[in-house]
């Protein structure tokens, strides 16, 4: 049940005194709502719209004022009547780069969620929005942020969107949104969390360090969902064998899901795959032509038995299984391909001689419901109107700039470790999907195992595993369990 009551005042100006009538201003809209969670009625305020980001500009050593650079779209939910000093706030965003926050917003954390269905029981259009009694709003205020060029966020007239389409520009702009919101709402003494998914975990780890060093803002916790902290673990480039070993346990899990391991328990299959991935498999790849015929044959047989592929295929690709090639090959005999984001999904392709599938069936399955729900929800429930297309996934952010990592691979593991060392009370929750073919669980575990922090700080990191994919909340039992896990994490890490 939702009760709406919009403000009738003018949108606030982002307060520097420089704004003329042609200067962009915030266009925030506020509405009142309620939701029942465990027989408890929660009254909350939703505020949605674009916040103007400004930069201090100096020319020839002289201050030229605060110049508008971008308008960033956000949706914030705050519990009415709560004590700001005790009430946590969670800033959430998705990844890409180029993704809006719609997935975490309407899939897991927000007070409303889309009903999209799941493998074998997808909901046809038109779709449905329902109350989410598992919402994290019961335990934390929520602020969903769409980085520049995603959602309704845009660079202002005369500015270059490309300035925001890169690692550092992205971190600084999202960090500024967090600083502004925290200051304007008097929340510096509130417990604060970041929740990121996919590239959003890269952003979250970098932000934890950035917020500390730039603004002195120390966080209580990070929620890293389907994390990628070191891109060397995902980069299937010539000479980098690391991804081949780290993806392999996920391949084994996918093969198990699709019935290629008989009636063996998943835990047993994963234990065998992880043992091979940690010892014999990297050794075999490192040996190269020094492998004897017998050693190579043994490695081929083992890899084939674990991944569900033929020995002939494994031998032909020289023991190195690239992930999209795997998703295309696994069910080729059934004339199906499996999903990358969620490999429980499978679907048809244009033909079955392809090396790489033409589309990801798991992404195709959820794009429609989330897009329709978000576009309806903002206008019908939150009373925000904008004629721009809401960019669910924006392609305009590419090529994404990683110029800060020139001549080395992209990693934020060092920034996460730095944030944890400086703030030993920082807690980290990492969520993994066993059927996530984009950011495999064993790769994330590998990065955590190499964090440069004192051993005792590893106790600040908790791990949660779900029998689902990249957006594990698409799987209803996983969504319910994940909601419970996050509620417990926020309550525990709030130090209240």
């Amino acid at each position: 049940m939702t009760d709406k009551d919009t403000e009738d005042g003018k949108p606030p100006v982002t307060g520097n005194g420089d704004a003329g009538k042609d200067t962009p201003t915030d266009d925030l809209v506020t509405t009142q709502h309620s939701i029942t969670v465990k027989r408890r009625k929660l009254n909350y305020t939703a505020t949605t719209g674009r916040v103007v980001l400004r930069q201090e500009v100096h020319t020839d050593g002289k201050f030229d004022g605060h110049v508008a650079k971008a308008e960033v779209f956000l949706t914030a939910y705050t519990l009415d009547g709560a004590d700001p000093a005790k009430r946590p706030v969670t800033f959430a965003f998705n990844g890409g780069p180029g993704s809006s926050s719609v997935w975490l917003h309407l899939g897991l954390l927000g007070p409303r969620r889309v009903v999209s269905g799941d493998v074998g029981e997808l909901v046809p259009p038109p779709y449905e929005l329902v109350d989410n009694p598992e919402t994290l709003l019961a335990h934390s205020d929520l602020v969903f942020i769409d980085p520049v060029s995603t959602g309704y966020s845009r660079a202002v007239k005369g500015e270059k969107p490309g300035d925001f389409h890169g690692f550092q520009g992205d971190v600084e702009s999202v960090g500024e949104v967090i600083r502004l919101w925290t200051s304007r709402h008097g929340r510096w003494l509130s417990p604060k969390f970041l929740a990121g998914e996919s590239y959003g975990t890269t952003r979250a780890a970098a932000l934890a360090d950035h917020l500390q060093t730039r603004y002195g803002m120390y966080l209580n916790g990070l929620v890293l969902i389907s994390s990628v902290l070191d891109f060397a673990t995902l980069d299937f480039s010539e000479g980098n064998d690391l991804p081949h070993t780290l993806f392999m346990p996920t391949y084994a899990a996918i093969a198990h899901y699709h019935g290629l391991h008989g009636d063996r328990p998943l835990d047993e299959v994963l234990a065998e795959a992880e043992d091979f991935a940690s010892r014999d498999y990297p050794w075999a790849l490192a040996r190269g032509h020094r492998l004897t015929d017998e050693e190579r044959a043994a490695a081929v047989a083992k890899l084939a038995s674990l991944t569900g592929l033929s020995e002939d295929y494994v031998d032909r690709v020289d023991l190195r299984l690239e992930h999209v090639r795997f998703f295309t090959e696994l069910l080729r005999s059934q004339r199906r391909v499996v999903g990358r984001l969620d490999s429980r999904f499978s679907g048809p392709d244009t033909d079955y001689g392809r090396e790489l599938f033409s589309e990801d069936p798991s992404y195709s399955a959820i794009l429609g419901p989330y897009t329709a729900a978000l576009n309806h929800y903002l206008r019908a429930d939150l009373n925000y109107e904008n004629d721009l297309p809401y960019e669910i996934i924006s392609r305009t952010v590419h090529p994404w700039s990683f110029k800060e990592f020139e001549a080395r691979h992209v990693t934020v593991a060092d920034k996460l470790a730095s944030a944890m060392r400086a703030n030993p009370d920082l807690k980290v929750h990492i969520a993994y999907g066993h059927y996530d073919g984009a950011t495999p669980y064993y790769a994330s575990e590998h990065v955590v195992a190499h964090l440069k922090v004192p051993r005792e700080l590893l106790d600040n990191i908790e791990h949660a595993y779900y029998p689902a994919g990249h957006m594990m909340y698409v799987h209803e039992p996983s969504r319910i369990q994940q909601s419970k896990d996050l509620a417990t994490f926020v309550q525990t890490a709030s130090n209240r």
Side-chain angles (χ1 to χ4, degrees), residues 35-269:
I35 186 173
T36 299
V37 176
K38 294 182 178 179
R39 292 182 287 186
R40 173 189 170 205
K41 184 179 181 181
L42 302 179
N43 295 314
Y44 65 94
T45 298
T47 303
T48 191
R50 303 203 295 183
V51 174
V52 179
L53 298 189
R54 290 187 166 85
Q55 181 180 340
E56 295 182 15
V57 175
H58 296 79
T59 303
D60 296 329
K62 297 180 181 179
F63 179 56
D64 278 349
H66 299 84
V67 178
K69 294 292 183 179
E71 298 171 286
V72 176
F73 186 77
L74 60 80
T75 301
Y77 301 99
T78 54
L79 187 68
D80 296 345
D83 181 355
K86 296 181 180 179
R87 177 71 173 168
V89 56
T90 300
F91 299 92
F93 33 75
N94 278 87
S99 176
S100 68
S101 62
V102 63
W103 314 102
L104 288 178
H105 188 175
L106 296 186
L108 178 64
L109 302 178
R112 301 277 283 170
R113 67 179 185 87
V114 61
V115 179
S116 62
D118 197 3
V119 176
E121 50 184 20
L122 291 173
V123 175
Y127 307 104
E128 184 182 10
L129 268 170
V130 298
D131 278 350
N132 178 17
E134 292 80 31
T135 175
L136 190 61
L137 182 61
H139 309 281
S140 170
D141 290 342
L142 303 169
V143 182
F144 295 96
I145 301 170
D146 291 340
V148 175
S149 297
T150 75
Y152 287 132
S153 299
R154 301 291 190 273
V156 301
K157 182 179 179 180
E159 296 297 326
K160 297 178 180 179
D163 290 346
F164 303 93
H165 299 167
F167 175 80
Q168 192 62 31
D170 174 77
V171 167
E172 290 177 356
S173 59
V174 175
E176 178 66 356
V177 173
I178 292 171
R179 184 195 68 83
L180 282 174
W181 194 94
T182 300
S183 295
R184 291 176 181 177
H185 293 82
R187 302 303 292 271
W188 276 87
L189 295 183
S190 299
K192 290 177 282 296
F193 295 82
L194 303 182
E197 179 177 285
S198 195
Y199 186 81
T201 65
T202 310
R203 180 185 296 122
L207 273 170
D209 184 61
H210 173 73
L211 292 172
Q212 285 181 186
T213 57
R214 175 64 181 88
Y215 301 125
M217 181 184 289
Y218 281 50
L219 303 170
N220 289 72
L222 300 179
V223 174
L224 307 179
I225 299 173
S226 304
S227 65
V228 49
L229 303 178
D230 187 331
F231 282 58
T233 65
L234 308 183
D235 181 16
F236 288 93
S237 58
E238 186 72 25
N240 180 24
D241 283 338
L242 189 59
H244 297 290
T245 61
L246 298 180
F247 272 71
M248 195 274 292
T250 292
Y251 296 158
I254 297 167
H256 180 276
Y257 180 85
H258 290 284
L260 301 179
H261 281 287
D263 57 0
R264 293 183 67 193
L266 177 61
D267 289 349
E268 179 182 301
V269 172

